[in-house]
Amino acid sequence: MSLHFHYYPFPALAYGCSYYASYTTKRTLSTHRRIPPHSSTFSVITNLFSRNPNFLTRNTLFLRMQRFCSVSGVSKNKAMVERLQRYGVITSSKVAEVMETVDRALFVPDGAAPYDDSPMAIGYNATISAPHMHAMCLQLLEENLQPGMHALDVGSGTGYLTASFALMVGPLGRAVGVEHIPELVSSSIENIQKSAAATQLKDGSLSVHAGDGRQGWPEFAPYDAIHVGAAAPEIPQPLIDQLKPGGRMVIPVGNIFQDLKVVDKNSDGCISIRTETSVRYVPLTSRENQLRGY
């Protein structure tokens, strides 16, 4: 075995972005097959920050690597997915297929670079996560996004991941997005209507609702898969309650320092929680707090 550095696209840590902390040293096989990250990546981040006061600016090696590694200027969604596959971010053929089918350009603001591996502001102090974060969450939830299953997307934003969930669970399943900014709900529905998930929006197996995502969406519970697109100080109990036995939730937890948590509910209802990696998301908060100062 040998040691390799893996530099993945890393956006500036501005308010409302997420990042995948996988630029730490990874131990890989000689075939360069990537080993999934683990919670020790967090200590590497904090060490880097303490050593380099410019870590949160664009004056770092990692941010220069982002410009090198990003798919800026590539106009095709498929090329973005293939790039993420080459870097070992996407390892699932099903996730690759879904991300090729759901064109990211339909879910980002006009004038944005849709295929850059970077989070983007979508208004209302909210963001759409970078493609590598979407890929990670889809892969973590893949076994719970099988045809006929129910999926909940909390903080659904522009609707990208909700549409992806819908394609994975199919018309016999149910994909539900919850977003507490009504304007984002309206625009996300318009985005989905232009996408490959439009038929499921029409037949009702996909729906987006205005509401407080911290309370989940009980109407279609229990859910096999729950994704939360904003960081909670602690895991909301209503989301745990709405998770089906055998189900899985992926949720960023923390304030300044955040971890992506994988929450599994066993068949007997017992909960197990593990940390996947360190992340940076906008806070999961009330509508009023989110819009403060906007």
Side-chain angles (χ1 to χ4, degrees):
M1 299 181 74
S2 58
L3 288 176
H4 297 277
F5 282 96
H6 292 262
Y7 294 103
Y8 290 116
F10 182 81
L13 297 183
Y15 179 78
C17 72
S18 58
Y19 66 89
Y20 177 32
S22 60
Y23 47 78
T24 185
T25 306
K26 300 284 190 284
R27 190 173 294 275
T28 61
L29 300 176
S30 57
T31 57
H32 293 191
R33 181 171 60 86
R34 177 174 164 267
I35 304 301
H38 48 77
S39 59
S40 66
T41 56
F42 180 75
S43 62
V44 177
I45 295 172
T46 55
N47 288 339
L48 284 168
F49 178 74
S50 63
R51 294 173 188 172
N52 183 2
N54 293 321
F55 182 64
L56 300 186
T57 74
R58 294 187 177 273
N59 300 319
T60 68
L61 169 64
F62 304 109
L63 297 176
R64 290 195 294 272
M65 286 299 296
Q66 186 229 347
R67 290 193 289 271
F68 175 77
C69 295
S70 75
V71 292
S72 178
V74 179
S75 61
K76 294 182 180 179
N77 195 65
K78 184 176 181 181
M80 177 195 75
V81 174
E82 290 174 346
R83 190 68 175 257
L84 292 172
Q85 286 178 300
R86 285 199 298 275
Y87 278 99
V89 178
I90 296 177
T91 58
S92 162
S93 59
K94 180 62 177 178
V95 170
E97 177 187 349
V98 168
M99 289 185 69
E100 285 183 11
T101 303
V102 181
D103 189 353
R104 182 174 161 86
L106 300 175
F107 295 88
V108 302
D110 291 340
Y115 308 115
D116 278 7
D117 191 30
S118 174
M120 297 176 186
I122 59 174
Y124 309 98
N125 288 330
T127 63
I128 179 174
S129 294
H132 67 264
M133 285 304 304
H134 286 148
M136 173 184 281
C137 291
L138 286 170
Q139 291 186 153
L140 288 170
L141 293 169
E142 182 175 4
E143 294 304 313
N144 299 88
L145 292 170
Q146 299 300 311
M149 291 184 172
H150 284 206
L152 174 66
D153 185 19
V154 174
S156 51
T158 65
Y160 177 86
L161 212 55
T162 316
S164 300
F165 286 172
L167 293 185
M168 294 183 79
V169 302
L172 297 181
R174 168 74 66 169
V176 180
V178 181
E179 170 59 56
H180 62 192
I181 306 296
E183 293 86 351
L184 287 178
V185 172
S186 297
S187 62
S188 69
I189 291 173
E190 293 176 2
N191 297 338
I192 294 169
Q193 287 172 337
K194 302 171 188 175
S195 77
T199 56
Q200 288 177 248
L201 186 66
K202 185 176 182 180
D203 68 25
S205 60
L206 186 166
S207 57
V208 185
H209 307 271
D212 187 343
R214 295 171 297 181
Q215 302 303 315
W217 197 259
E219 181 180 356
F220 301 112
Y223 297 98
D224 301 275
I226 297 178
H227 166 265
V228 182
E234 57 187 21
I235 302 172
Q237 186 61 45
L239 298 183
I240 295 176
D241 295 340
Q242 291 173 37
L243 191 62
K244 186 178 181 179
R248 169 173 284 188
M249 172 166 47
V250 174
I251 176 172
V253 178
N255 294 307
I256 296 175
F257 301 105
Q258 303 168 2
D259 291 315
L260 190 67
K261 300 290 188 179
V262 178
V263 181
D264 290 305
K265 181 178 280 191
N266 300 330
S267 57
D268 61 1
C270 292
I271 297 295
S272 62
I273 303 173
R274 67 176 175 84
T275 296
E276 177 67 17
T277 190
S278 299
V279 290
R280 185 68 170 148
Y281 279 74
V282 296
L284 183 66
T285 184
S286 67
R287 180 177 183 270
E288 292 73 22
N289 283 339
Q290 181 172 325
L291 293 177
R292 186 171 295 162
Y294 178 71

